[in-house]
């Protein structure tokens, strides 16, 4: 699904170049659950922005579903991002005065899904995160954990090929964070591809595989076994 080779990203600030990515190479298969970890400044957020079409690399190659990002203009990137990618952010990025239903509907407003089918898509997405009883509640009245579940439903509503989750438990208490990760793990068990950025080891270990970054490079790329996962939670 995703293949990057020798990915480079350089920023120039007051004529001083900063190399955020220094030759990143890896691939993601359909149905994988991958965690990307690393200290501040390691390049993990930059990598996520490029993978999710929010930024472009300055070197190397990136193919998504067999098509090179270099061959797509900004309009094409935006179309693919809305159709094939779902997003879950640390700060939820919800409109607090809108209902759960209206927030989850937002990605559909930019899709080619007929309005007659939207209600079914929205209700299914909200049901999948266990918030069907809050469908018409203003999101501003929900708890942090419930807001993040709404964000996950919004990410799911277009039936994307991949879900990007950027520190999805960062603003939550441990119990709510665990619930969010259990939802993501359940979605993965049903075949969803998930790419997660986190600084929390226990959160990362819900994935099949952990990619650790340091100084703009991949320091390690390791599969996580069920035995290792259970052992780390004791």
């Amino acid at each position: 699904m995703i293949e990057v080779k020798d990915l480079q990203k350089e920023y120039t600030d007051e004529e001083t170049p900063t190399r955020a990515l220094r030759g990143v190479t890896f691939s993601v298969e359909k149905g994988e659950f991958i965690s990307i970890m690393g200290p501040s400044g390691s390049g993990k957020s930059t990598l996520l922005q490029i993978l999710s079409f929010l930024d472009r690399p300055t070197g190397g190659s990136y193919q998504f579903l067999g098509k090179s990002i270099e061959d797509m203009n900004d309009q094409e990137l935006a179309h693919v991002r809305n159709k094939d990618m779902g997003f879950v952010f640390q700060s939820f990025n919800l409109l607090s005065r809108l209902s759960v239903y209206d927030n989850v509907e937002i990605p559909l407003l930019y899709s080619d899904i007929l309005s007659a089918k939207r209600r079914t898509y929205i209700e299914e997405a909200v049901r999948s995160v266990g918030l069907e009883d809050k469908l018409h509640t203003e999101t501003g009245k929900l708890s942090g954990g419930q807001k993040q579940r709404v964000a996950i439903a919004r990410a799911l509503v277009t039936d994307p090929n991949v879900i990007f989750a950027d520190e999805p438990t960062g603003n939550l208490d441990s119990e709510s964070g665990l619930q969010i990760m259990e939802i993501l793990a359940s979605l993965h068990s049903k075949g969803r591809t998930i790419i997660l950025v986190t600084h929390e080891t226990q959160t990362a270990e819900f994935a099949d595989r952990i990619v650790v970054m340091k100084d703009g490079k991949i320091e390690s790329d390791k599969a996580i076994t069920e035995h290792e996962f259970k052992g780390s939670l004791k």
Side-chain angles (χ1 to χ4, degrees), residues 33 35 37 167-170 177-178 181 184 196-207 210 229 233:
F33 186 170
S35 291
M37 297 189 72
E167 299 281 7
T169 63
L178 177 61
M181 291 313 302
L184 291 176
L196 167 78
V197 165
T198 181
H199 66 278
E200 300 168 340
T201 301
Q202 284 195 333
T203 298
E205 288 174 341
F206 274 84
I210 296 179
F229 171 65
L233 295 181

Side-chain angles (χ1 to χ4, degrees), residues 207-234:
D208 297 324
R209 178 177 150 205
I210 296 179
V211 175
V212 178
M213 297 193 66
K214 183 178 180 181
D215 298 330
K217 299 179 180 179
I218 292 179
E219 186 176 54
S220 66
D221 185 346
K222 181 183 178 184
I224 299 297
T225 67
E226 184 178 359
H227 173 74
E228 286 174 319
F229 171 65
K230 289 181 177 179
S232 70
L233 295 181
K234 292 181 179 178

